[in-house]
Amino acid sequence: MAKIKVANPVVDLDGDEMTRIIWQWIKDKLILPFLDLEIEYYDLSMENRDATEDKVTVDAAHAILRHGVGIKCATITPDEARVKEFNLKKMWKSPNGTIRNILGGVVFREPILCRNVPRLIPSWTQPIIIGRHAFGDQYKATDFVVPGKGKLTMKWEGEDGQVLEYDVFDFPAAGVAMGMYNLDESIEEFARASLTYGLARKYPVYLSTKNTILKAYDGRFKDIFQRVYETEFKDQYKLEGIVYEHRLIDDMVASALKWPGGFVWACKNYDGDVQSDQVAQGFGSLGLMTSVLMTPDGKIVEAEAAHGTVTRHYRQHQRGEATSTNSIASIFAWTRGLKHRAALDGNAALDRFASTLEAVCVSTVEEGFMTKDLALLVGDHQGWLTTEGFLDKVAEHLVAAL
């Protein structure tokens, strides 16, 4: 079988623990035997990030900017225990956060549907894609414990000397307080990326906020989204027969439970954090979820698996024991990245390959070949394969499909 020629490189961001082992197997079994592909490789293992003082993460992000496609393995974000375990120089920041800050854009998470994997919400028959605005709000807030009785104020001083000051609360006793922020520019990027993604998938887009309570803060999100839609996307959406709407977050949560899916849900930072996990679990498994970071212009994509490094299985692997780790989300990181490479290059053969590999992954599970995590969901009598056994079965089916 002749390999498919890929004209331009993809950036490969290697990761940690069990997902790192799987990452190499995916390349060896499912990617490199079929594609004549140049890979620009960056080792984002915890050890190498520490050795390079995290410069490797920054270099990898800039490589994605150059080439337009990054494909990322799961990585460790160190806490105190990990700092001690790896004897790190410091508690390095999340690689995902560093990459997002350099690329900009919005993270879109989408479930992978398999007919025989039971759903906690059976009415969900089409994907629900969560677009999370991963900037500001609670994640960059200043919060503190109020020690006792006193007045809380909030003050802004402009460069021109203008001052805005607000009385927030007269504390009768001890409590807590928080101040948070966002930027018009970031909200505009969020709107463009969400509306661009909806257009690409031919799905309606819904923004959810609580603007009835946070009239200025959430109202700003609502107003900016509406302006970007009206001025840049309305005609294209009408042409495709899809819609954009703003909804209150409580109404959107209730509606999402009864709708069949088939939409993009644009969420503020905290809402997206919560709803992406709820949607993943509602569709059956946190291990069946893609994650794609897309820039507002739709030109740059970084795809990854939306799960951790599976430490427990890695410990088994280190002891020489067989594991049964779900590799599907990692495979889809490669296919979603390759689909974007195909779109940028106008490479129809590469797009067909990526689509075929996705379909083969799903059909392999639907034919009863799966890892232990999915087998436990399907039922007591469902058999399961080892990590490598499942990848071998997918490779066997891929050859047949191609």
Side-chain angles (χ1 to χ4, degrees):
M1 188 184 299
K3 290 187 178 183
I4 297 167
K5 175 65 180 173
V6 183
N8 294 296
V10 299
V11 182
D12 172 9
L13 292 75
D14 209 347
D16 288 299
E17 297 187 324
M18 195 62 209
T19 44
R20 184 183 180 91
I21 305 299
I22 291 170
W23 202 248
Q24 189 61 52
W25 285 343
I26 290 170
K27 287 187 282 188
D28 291 344
K29 297 172 185 289
L30 302 176
I31 305 299
L32 298 179
F34 305 97
L35 303 181
D36 181 2
L37 172 68
E38 182 184 347
I39 292 174
E40 188 166 324
Y41 177 83
Y42 291 84
D43 180 5
L44 265 61
S45 65
M46 191 70 264
E47 295 90 341
N48 197 46
R49 278 181 278 147
D50 191 57
T52 62
E53 302 200 343
D54 212 27
K55 184 175 182 295
V56 66
T57 307
V58 175
D59 290 346
H62 285 288
I64 298 171
L65 287 174
R66 285 196 306 274
H67 298 301
V69 180
I71 303 172
K72 182 181 173 295
C73 182
T75 48
I76 293 168
T77 298
D79 55 14
E80 289 87 350
R82 292 294 202 171
V83 170
K84 186 176 180 181
E85 177 187 345
F86 287 95
N87 193 27
L88 302 179
K89 297 169 187 172
K90 60 184 283 189
M91 194 184 299
W92 302 106
K93 293 179 180 178
S94 159
N96 291 344
T98 299
I99 293 165
R100 278 199 302 267
N101 288 337
I102 293 170
L103 300 186
V106 176
V107 176
F108 295 94
R109 292 192 166 184
E110 177 180 351
I112 301 161
L113 277 60
C114 301
R115 286 195 302 269
N116 56 334
V117 176
R119 292 173 201 144
L120 291 177
I121 303 176
S123 61
W124 285 355
T125 56
Q126 300 175 66
I128 295 173
I129 302 170
I130 301 292
R132 176 185 171 190
H133 182 219
F135 178 83
D137 296 354
Q138 288 94 325
Y139 298 82
K140 291 289 185 179
T142 300
D143 63 328
F144 64 98
V145 174
V146 175
K149 186 176 181 180
K151 179 186 284 291
L152 177 67
T153 62
M154 188 160 54
K155 184 178 180 180
W156 173 85
E157 297 181 31
E159 283 190 342
D160 59 358
Q162 182 186 6
V163 175
L164 298 176
E165 190 163 358
Y166 297 89
D167 290 338
V168 177
F169 188 59
D170 287 322
F171 277 84
V176 290
M178 177 175 72
M180 65 185 194
Y181 65 89
N182 224 292
L183 293 173
D184 283 1
E185 182 182 12
S186 181
I187 300 168
E188 285 177 8
E189 286 190 351
F190 177 35
R192 286 194 187 94
S194 300
L195 293 164
T196 298
Y197 204 90
L199 202 57
R201 294 301 304 272
K202 308 288 192 291
Y203 277 177
V205 176
Y206 300 97
L207 167 70
S208 62
T209 75
K210 194 68 173 176
N211 69 302
T212 50
I213 303 300
L214 297 172
K215 291 181 172 62
Y217 199 104
D218 281 20
R220 195 67 169 165
F221 280 80
K222 178 179 181 292
D223 293 345
I224 288 174
F225 258 76
Q226 193 65 39
R227 172 169 55 79
V228 171
Y229 171 70
E230 295 282 348
T231 57
E232 301 177 30
F233 290 90
K234 188 174 182 178
D235 292 342
Q236 298 173 78
Y237 267 57
K238 280 188 176 179
L239 198 63
E240 295 294 346
I242 53 178
V243 298
Y244 160 72
E245 288 182 18
H246 167 269
R247 286 175 173 257
L248 290 174
I249 181 68
D250 43 350
D251 173 53
M252 189 64 207
V253 169
S255 297
L257 287 172
K258 61 185 180 183
W259 290 348
F263 58 88
V264 177
W265 184 353
C267 293
K268 290 174 62 196
N269 207 346
Y270 181 81
D271 297 339
D273 195 358
V274 174
Q275 294 303 331
S276 59
D277 274 12
Q278 175 169 290
V279 165
Q281 199 65 71
F283 275 99
S285 172
L286 292 169
L288 293 175
M289 179 68 87
T290 68
S291 182
V292 171
L293 173 67
M294 176 183 278
T295 56
D297 58 10
K299 292 180 179 177
I300 296 170
V301 155
E302 184 237 10
E304 64 168 339
H307 57 63
T309 57
V310 202
T311 306
R312 183 171 59 84
H313 288 194
Y314 183 57
R315 299 291 180 242
Q316 291 176 240
H317 177 78
Q318 285 178 311
R319 294 193 297 267
E321 300 169 9
T323 64
S324 185
T325 314
N326 190 343
S327 56
I328 292 176
S330 293
I331 297 169
F332 271 63
W334 277 94
T335 58
R336 294 297 157 98
L338 292 171
K339 277 175 174 282
H340 189 64
R341 180 77 277 161
L344 292 175
D345 298 350
N347 190 334
L350 178 60
D351 184 73
R352 282 195 300 273
F353 169 80
S355 295
T356 301
L357 178 50
E358 289 189 359
V360 162
C361 279
V362 172
S363 64
T364 299
V365 172
E366 291 179 345
E367 288 171 22
F369 304 103
M370 63 193 74
T371 47
K372 189 175 181 179
D373 60 312
L374 298 182
L376 292 173
L377 293 172
V378 172
D380 294 341
H381 302 294
Q382 174 62 54
W384 49 271
L385 300 171
T386 63
T387 309
E388 197 167 8
F390 176 75
L391 286 166
D392 287 337
K393 183 62 70 173
V394 172
E396 176 190 321
H397 289 180
L398 180 60
V399 169
L402 291 173

